[in-house]
Amino acid sequence: LSSDVCSSSLSSGINAEYGDADTLEDAMSGWGTDELVIINILTNRAYNTRLRIANYYESRYSDTLWEDIKSETSGTFRTALKALVMPEARFLAEEMRNAMKGWGTNEDTLILCLMLSLPDYDTVQGIRDYYQAIYHWKLEDAIEDEVSSSFQELLVEIIKRPKFDEKAEVDEEGVKADYNDMIEFIDARRIVDIVYLLTSRSLSHISMLQEEYYQEQGVELYTVLESITDHHIKDGLVSFMSVASDYPRYCAYKLHNSMDGSGTDEGSLTRIITTRADKDLKVIKTLYGEMFDKSLYQAIKDDTSGDYRRTLLALL
């Protein structure tokens, strides 16, 4: 009986995904597009379910789900939907490509894409693999062609970080040794050595290193790094330290920055909301309200509009 129930449940789930794919096709075929149907389906399905819907869609219809969405939508709404129907690693790989394509480089986008994937080794490796497969160029080589000096080293070393067991007990003696090395590197302003040290340690190790530094020096390590660096390397190092110490708080802070002041950084807003929707967005929402005395829902509602707004709010 138990086996029959599981089989029936699995069959029901698959049939529902087939139905979702057909409904999405109906919403985009013929004259006009039913954006509300698309939003309702894609924002109310889990990440893996959305990918299965996209796979079924491609097997059943002449184009991929993304190709049809791209032809029927535009602007920030289109980008948000793209993030919902693609593997996260592929979406971030394409975002990084866009940040380096054409004249100039959007260094902030490069930092954010890597920070969003930093806690998940498989996602970082997925970004590398998709970048190579789509653009026939190693991501590391693309970065080295676009940025330079210690900032280049930071991005490349983040991409090349080994896989760590973040639940493993941190070596306290190793932390103390790194603290002493960090003091020496900071005094001599050996930024590249700081990069190599930080990117070769687990996030839990770096978090403990920051605690050790504060206990011994009475000042936060990231503020010291801010004082001896500038521009993009400063932003990258501070982001890295923030992710290591409190990832949801980092996301809440970046969300606030994307909507603070005049104008809205829709790119950052989209990347964070869509990639965290199935993970820790509820925690981020709570932190946002505590940190900025305004709900994330209201902040997004005030700063966005139309179908783009509807999509982000539905994900909350």
Side-chain angles (χ1 to χ4, degrees), residues 119-259:
D120 186 351
Y121 174 84
D122 291 337
T123 300
V124 176
Q125 297 313 303
I127 293 172
R128 293 176 80 181
D129 293 343
Y130 274 115
Y131 201 98
Q132 173 80 44
I134 297 169
Y135 306 113
H136 310 292
W137 200 10
K138 287 185 178 180
L139 178 56
E140 298 95 312
D141 292 343
I143 287 172
E144 289 172 358
D145 197 54
E146 289 288 325
V147 300
S148 59
S149 67
S150 53
F151 181 57
Q152 175 195 108
E153 295 289 345
L154 175 65
L155 298 185
V156 170
E157 291 304 314
I158 287 173
I159 293 167
K160 292 163 56 179
R161 286 178 79 238
K163 188 171 187 175
F164 294 101
D165 179 3
E166 294 294 348
K167 295 180 180 179
E169 185 177 352
V170 176
D171 177 7
E172 293 185 17
E173 291 304 313
V175 170
K176 292 183 184 299
D178 284 347
Y179 163 77
N180 290 328
D181 286 342
M182 187 64 73
I183 292 293
E184 179 183 338
F185 296 160
I186 289 171
D187 287 344
R189 303 206 171 204
R190 290 161 55 183
I191 308 304
V192 172
D193 286 328
I194 292 172
V195 166
Y196 289 155
L197 188 156
L198 293 176
T199 55
S200 61
R201 303 292 188 267
S202 69
L203 297 181
S204 51
H205 183 104
I206 296 168
S207 179
M208 189 172 287
L209 173 61
Q210 292 185 83
E211 292 176 13
E212 176 75 13
Y213 193 94
Y214 183 78
Q215 290 173 5
E216 295 295 329
Q217 298 292 321
V219 62
E220 297 287 357
L221 177 55
Y222 78 87
T223 61
V224 177
L225 295 180
E226 279 184 315
S227 70
I228 64 170
T229 56
D230 56 17
H231 303 305
H232 306 303
I233 182 60
K234 177 176 74 174
D235 296 338
L237 283 173
V238 171
S239 294
F240 191 89
M241 304 297 280
S242 299
V243 169
S245 61
D246 193 335
Y247 185 81
R249 186 172 294 273
Y250 165 79
C251 289
Y253 179 76
K254 296 301 291 185
L255 284 169
H256 177 71
N257 277 2
S258 73
M259 296 179 282

